[in-house]
Amino acid sequence: MLAVVFPGQGSQYVGMGRALVEGFPEAREVFLLAEEVTGLPLGRLCFEGPEDELTRTENLQPALTAVNLAVWRVLAKKGVSPVFVAGHSLGEFSALCAAGVISLEDTFRLVKLRGELMAQAGETAPGAMYAVIGLARERLEEVLAEVPGQVYLANHNSPEQIVISGEEKAASEAAERARAAGARRVVRLAVSGAFHSPLMKEAAESFTEALWKVPMRRASVPVVLNVTARAETDPERIREALSRQMLSPVRWVESVLFMYHQGVRNFLEAGPKRVLSGLIKRILSGKEVRILQAETPEEMDKALEGLGRFE
């Protein structure tokens, strides 16, 4: 059984998607439509940068989504048929589009708006995010409870890596206390705000208004949602979960374990880099699973060959 997973912010690099667009007309069509809908030069940003312009939240969200969905279009044309799809944070919108819940056009409208709102929130309610590595979740929760101000668990990425998010002062103090409590590493993330926390309340409210205007269809493939870490096909329940996504933790560990316990033994990361592949490997350490990755034509061929051998 196969699950296709889509990466989110942090997986980008200058040059992503170029070889795919040059090699496959269906990938080129995704980029052309994405540029038409968003009005952004996504091809130039992805293929040439500059990096500081690409990584601006309002540009990055539609840019990375274009790469993810260009990869998916090629995979789908080649007959890849997963039993689940999932995406990490921003990547969830790629998963919903792949499952037919949201049209390609509406997906790009939504991620453009999401990027703009999250960038604005970073200016009006400044915050910070830190990756805490090598400290148990229970101990980190104890640390956060001792810190004055607003700081929260934001992403449970792997058994070893948890991201915290909150007000600048509170998040910084929590990071120092996590180090003192025995964290192996604590790394500040290069993001513009306190994502996946209640500090996104204003952005989430504006996004929800837009979300309720977008037509959604029943998922053709169950989507494992960030907010619940469970599979869903009902469009209204998906819409409700999406309205809470900016405010809620990304339950990635639970999502991967859910898919594994449902019988998934093949995971294919559709998008740039290998961030999710690395996380899945750590989550399912010691388990017999195959983790594949596809973005370039060469990776695509290797992934398809690997899936063929597994069948």
Side-chain angles (χ1 to χ4, degrees), residues 57-97:
T57 301
E58 62 269 34
N59 292 335
L60 179 55
Q61 296 209 12
L64 187 59
T65 302
V67 178
N68 287 353
L69 290 175
V71 173
W72 169 251
R73 280 292 174 97
V74 177
L75 290 171
K77 188 173 182 183
K78 291 182 177 293
V80 171
S81 181
V83 296
F84 294 106
V85 292
H88 189 285
S89 188
L90 169 67
E92 186 160 82
F93 290 85
S94 297
L96 291 166
C97 185

Side-chain angles (χ1 to χ4, degrees), residues 102 106 109-110 113 206-216 236 239:
I102 309 172
D106 283 334
R109 290 188 188 101
L110 285 174
L113 176 63
S206 297
F207 187 70
T208 298
E209 285 181 25
L211 201 59
W212 286 97
K213 297 173 184 174
V214 172
M216 292 193 182
E236 295 315 312
R239 194 192 304 271

Side-chain angles (χ1 to χ4, degrees), residues 137-150:
R137 176 174 177 162
E138 295 76 14
R139 182 69 187 98
L140 183 55
E141 287 174 333
E142 291 172 0
V143 167
L144 297 189
E146 296 166 359
V147 175
Q150 295 189 69

Side-chain angles (χ1 to χ4, degrees), residues 157-223:
N157 285 336
S158 78
E160 286 279 289
Q161 185 195 112
I162 301 170
V163 174
I164 61 173
S165 178
E167 296 170 321
E168 178 72 51
K169 185 177 179 181
S172 176
E173 183 173 340
E176 288 304 318
R177 291 196 186 198
R179 286 190 186 96
R184 195 163 64 251
R185 286 177 64 212
V186 180
V187 181
R188 182 169 178 140
L189 303 185
V191 295
S192 59
F195 303 156
H196 294 291
S197 84
L199 272 71
M200 290 284 113
K201 184 174 183 291
E202 193 174 314
E205 287 173 353
S206 297
F207 187 70
T208 298
E209 285 181 25
L211 201 59
W212 286 97
K213 297 173 184 174
V214 172
M216 292 193 182
R217 292 164 290 279
R218 179 168 289 276
S220 59
V221 180
V223 183

Side-chain angles (χ1 to χ4, degrees), residues 115-127 191-195 199-200 203:
E116 291 168 348
L117 290 170
M118 291 174 79
Q120 290 166 15
E123 294 173 4
T124 58
V191 295
S192 59
F195 303 156
L199 272 71
M200 290 284 113

